[in-house]
Amino acid sequence: GNSVTQMEGPVTLSEEAFLTINCTYTATGYPSLFWYVQYPGEGLQLLLKATKADDKGSNKGFEATYRKETTSFHLEKGSVQVSDSAVYFCALRGYRGSTLGRLYFGRGTQLTVWP
Amino acid sequence: NAGVTQTPKFQVLKTGQSMTLQCAQDMNHNSMYWYRQDPGMGLRLIYYSASEGTTDKGEVPNGYNVSRLNKREFSLRLESAAPSQTSVYFCASSSGGDTQYFGPGTRLTVL
């Protein structure tokens, strides 16, 4: 079946540090992959996505590359800011049959950035 | 353009009470979803509606019912609330493509 495993948090960094949040997936076929972000007290917002192998999604300085050979979609940012403090969710979109269109989420990683 | 709206924002129920969570979207999306978010569990799909007039069970449907009232609205009903249903509930919609758009959530406590 479809599932997503992401790095457990919380992650605490100083401003301008490098960020990596690991995400691996299990799926049949060729799912699309996503990173969503949830700021305190709000709903989820799409951060970036990739729809096929070797695609790189990017937004607001964050990047993730769809690696089919390692079934991974790790989130990176070269220099984090205090405003990046949030919970980050990795997700995949079902590819076929009864799972088509459904999103499967990881458990989320809390990131806190200190000034 | 309000996107996805949910009411209420907060609710406290006693065990056995019933309530309906409302969700509406103004993006003309075909598909709508209900999720629950619990600490350390991520988001889990309760029910979804791929198009107006259809609904299907997700990962955790027990204790819930849904109604796709029209293309805009998708409600979630708890007939007899239980403490295990204490959670944050999110509604989302999509056009059938990749991206889902989420509402701000309803925080529900069942005593």
Side-chain angles (χ1 to χ4, degrees):
Chain A
N2 295 322
S3 67
V4 173
T5 302
Q6 69 179 96
M7 173 175 155
E8 292 197 14
V11 174
T12 303
L13 295 172
S14 297
E15 208 163 25
E16 300 183 2
F18 184 85
L19 169 70
T20 300
I21 301 177
N22 290 337
C23 172
T24 57
Y25 69 90
T26 301
T28 53
Y30 305 95
S32 296
L33 301 174
F34 305 83
W35 278 100
Y36 278 84
V37 58
Q38 184 180 30
Y39 298 103
E42 298 184 9
L44 278 70
Q45 304 173 24
L46 178 66
L47 180 60
L48 54 83
K49 68 178 183 182
T51 58
K52 61 183 187 297
D54 298 326
D55 267 3
K56 178 185 283 188
S58 61
N59 187 26
K60 300 181 181 180
F62 291 89
E63 293 184 338
T65 301
Y66 188 164
R67 301 284 188 201
K68 190 164 175 61
E69 64 276 13
T70 54
T71 62
S72 65
F73 192 55
H74 305 321
L75 182 68
E76 296 182 336
K77 186 175 186 183
S79 176
V80 294
Q81 305 299 313
V82 172
S83 58
D84 294 327
S85 298
V87 180
Y88 292 82
F89 292 92
C90 185
L92 71 82
R93 179 176 183 260
Y95 176 71
R96 61 176 59 163
S98 63
T99 71
L100 181 63
R102 293 172 54 173
L103 282 179
Y104 297 81
F105 286 89
R107 295 188 174 193
T109 302
Q110 171 76 55
L111 170 67
T112 300
V113 181
W114 296 100
Chain B
N1 188 339
V4 179
T5 57
Q6 293 183 235
T7 55
K9 286 187 170 22
F10 302 93
Q11 184 71 50
V12 179
L13 294 177
K14 295 181 180 177
T15 298
Q17 288 185 316
S18 62
M19 79 161 294
T20 300
L21 281 65
Q22 306 286 354
C23 173
Q25 52 90 10
D26 63 1
M27 295 175 282
N28 201 35
H29 287 167
N30 288 321
S31 302
M32 298 185 74
Y33 309 83
W34 276 107
Y35 294 90
R36 59 177 289 173
Q37 182 182 27
D38 301 296
M41 296 294 292
L43 274 76
R44 293 181 291 170
L45 183 65
I46 305 171
Y47 271 94
Y48 66 104
S49 171
S51 61
E52 187 178 354
T54 68
T55 60
D56 286 286
K57 294 178 180 179
E59 196 180 346
V60 288
N62 291 346
Y64 304 96
N65 285 301
V66 290
S67 296
R68 184 73 183 267
L69 304 170
N70 47 54
K71 192 171 186 179
R72 289 187 64 247
E73 298 172 290
F74 188 38
S75 62
L76 178 72
R77 183 160 178 84
L78 286 70
E79 290 291 352
S80 178
S84 60
Q85 294 178 304
T86 294
S87 189
V88 182
Y89 291 85
F90 289 100
C91 178
S93 70
S94 75
S95 63
D98 283 335
T99 303
Q100 290 187 17
Y101 297 84
F102 286 79
T106 294
R107 187 174 295 275
L108 174 67
T109 301
V110 182
L111 303 175

